[in-house]
Structure formats: structure tokens, C-alpha cells
Amino acid sequence: MEKIEIYSSKKKSLVLLLGSIVFVALGFWLVIEAENFTGWRARNPMLTRGIGVASILFFGLGAFIALKRVITSEIALIIAPEGLNVNPKKSLTDYIKWSEISGFDEISIQSTRIIIIGVKDSDYWLEKETNGFKRKLMQFNINNYNSPFNISATGLTIDSEELIAILIKYYEQHKNES
């Protein structure tokens, strides 16, 4: 079996970019027009401005990330005979070997399907992570899903059904070889 590289979806990133631009524009409108509102907004223009500024900052960051993904193709996942690389941005050679994977599970959070990658030694992967924020995120995943790794196909060029089928196929083929 050959190596499969899965990239972030430019179409989905474009939708995120357009939505973010709309909310940034709405945020600017709230900041500029806060004094001219009627009703509850008229009583508290500072709150209205605060909501506008928060919208500009949050969705501005979303627009920046989406624009970056639209311009450059980002590899998001590598499935290979040597294993599974869930963080190719950090290292293109850091694989979870198939023999270290205990299986896959699916959960759904508000209609978003998430694939949980079961590993035999979660603590090994937690200790290996040097980034403090990612380490906390991995600990959260271990506490809630019994694994430090999960994948959502939401922003990828592949859908959940196809992704889980490929993962299981590679897992069954290679789990005892490594």
C-alpha cells in the first residue's frame, strides 16, 4: 500500500474565509454605529462596541487562518505503511506505528463526526509532546476519549466515511508487521 497524504480543503477554507469577512464587517459596523442604535443597545454602547471588537478580533483571526489555507496547501494527515502521522506540520517523519494503535472509534459532537485513534500507551505520546498547549489538549483528549489523538474530517479533502475506511484498511494490513 502506498502513502496517502490528505490536505486541508481549500473549498471549506474559502467558505470559512467568506464567513469570517462578513463577521469582521459586522464587527466594524457595531463599533462605528454603537451610538446610533435604539433599544437595549442604546443604553449600553460600550457593550455594543465590545461585542464589535471581539467579533473583529476573533473572526479576523479566522479569516487570517482561512486565507493562509486557501493560498497554500497544508498537509493535514499522512497514512503510510509505516504508520499514521497526525501532525505533519510538526514533523513529516513522526509516525504512530500501526503496532502502537489499538483501534479506531467514532463519536459525534453536535453532528461533527470525530475519529478517535486508540493508542496502546497514551502517556508515551503525552510525554513526547513539547508544546505546552498541545500537551494540555492531549491530556484533555485522554481524560475524555481515552486517547491523545483524534481526527475530524470537517476541514479535510476527504469525508469521514472514506477516512475511517482507509484507516481501518491500513490498520488491518499493517498492525502486526511493525
Side-chain angles (χ1 to χ4, degrees), residues 98-143:
W98 293 111
S99 61
E100 297 170 349
I101 295 174
S102 61
F104 301 96
D105 196 14
E106 276 187 279
I107 61 169
S108 186
I109 300 175
Q110 294 189 357
S111 75
T112 299
R113 292 173 64 188
I114 298 172
I115 300 167
I116 307 296
I117 303 164
V119 292
K120 294 177 180 171
D121 187 4
S122 296
D123 291 333
Y124 166 78
W125 296 101
L126 188 64
E127 291 169 13
K128 190 174 179 177
E129 182 57 57
T130 57
N131 181 303
F133 177 75
K134 288 182 182 177
R135 189 180 173 106
K136 290 276 187 197
L137 195 58
M138 289 173 89
Q139 184 64 58
F140 174 83
N141 287 335
I142 291 169
N143 292 343

Side-chain angles (χ1 to χ4, degrees), residues 60-162:
L61 177 63
F64 173 75
I65 292 168
L67 182 62
K68 184 177 162 192
R69 287 186 179 173
V70 168
I71 292 171
T72 61
S73 293
E74 279 190 11
I75 190 166
L77 178 68
I78 300 173
I79 304 169
E82 43 286 7
L84 186 61
N85 187 333
V86 295
N87 196 1
K89 287 181 259 182
K90 180 178 178 185
S91 168
L92 289 172
T93 59
D94 196 15
Y95 288 92
I96 306 168
K97 291 181 177 54
W98 293 111
S99 61
E100 297 170 349
I101 295 174
S102 61
F104 301 96
D105 196 14
E106 276 187 279
I107 61 169
S108 186
I109 300 175
Q110 294 189 357
S111 75
T112 299
R113 292 173 64 188
I114 298 172
I115 300 167
I116 307 296
I117 303 164
V119 292
K120 294 177 180 171
D121 187 4
S122 296
D123 291 333
Y124 166 78
W125 296 101
L126 188 64
E127 291 169 13
K128 190 174 179 177
E129 182 57 57
T130 57
N131 181 303
F133 177 75
K134 288 182 182 177
R135 189 180 173 106
K136 290 276 187 197
L137 195 58
M138 289 173 89
Q139 184 64 58
F140 174 83
N141 287 335
I142 291 169
N143 292 343
N144 290 286
Y145 309 114
N146 297 321
S147 173
F149 304 109
N150 60 51
I151 306 168
S152 172
T154 303
L156 304 178
T157 55
I158 190 171
D159 64 30
S160 290
E161 292 84 17
E162 189 178 356

